Amino acid sequence: MSKNIILYGFMGCGKTTVGKILAKLMQRQFADMDYYIEQKAGLCVNEIFARFGQEHFRALEAEACTELAQMQ
């Protein structure tokens, strides 16, 4: 069984670009964590920050990371 790869870093540093290329090269599925969070929350990342703050977003991010890491 292959292990998942999680890319993390500052906003705009290229995680999505590199992740899509890596997924294609490895013939793996790509998942964008911000998109995943937005779908679960029903709000865009900016709205989550504006309404609930960074701490809440980071909690959602940690939860999403755990959930996505379990996927095959």
Side-chain angles (χ1 to χ4, degrees), residues 3-47:
K3 294 185 178 189
N4 291 321
I5 298 170
I6 298 171
L7 303 176
Y8 64 96
F10 293 108
M11 292 185 316
C13 72
K15 298 178 299 289
T16 298
T17 301
V18 171
K20 287 179 179 180
I21 293 168
L22 186 60
K24 185 174 182 175
L25 289 171
M26 296 180 72
Q27 299 179 342
R28 304 280 299 273
Q29 182 180 354
F30 172 77
D32 183 293
M33 191 155 44
D34 283 349
Y35 180 77
Y36 183 81
I37 292 168
E38 289 175 341
Q39 295 303 301
K40 283 189 68 175
L43 300 168
C44 71
V45 170
N46 290 338
E47 285 182 280

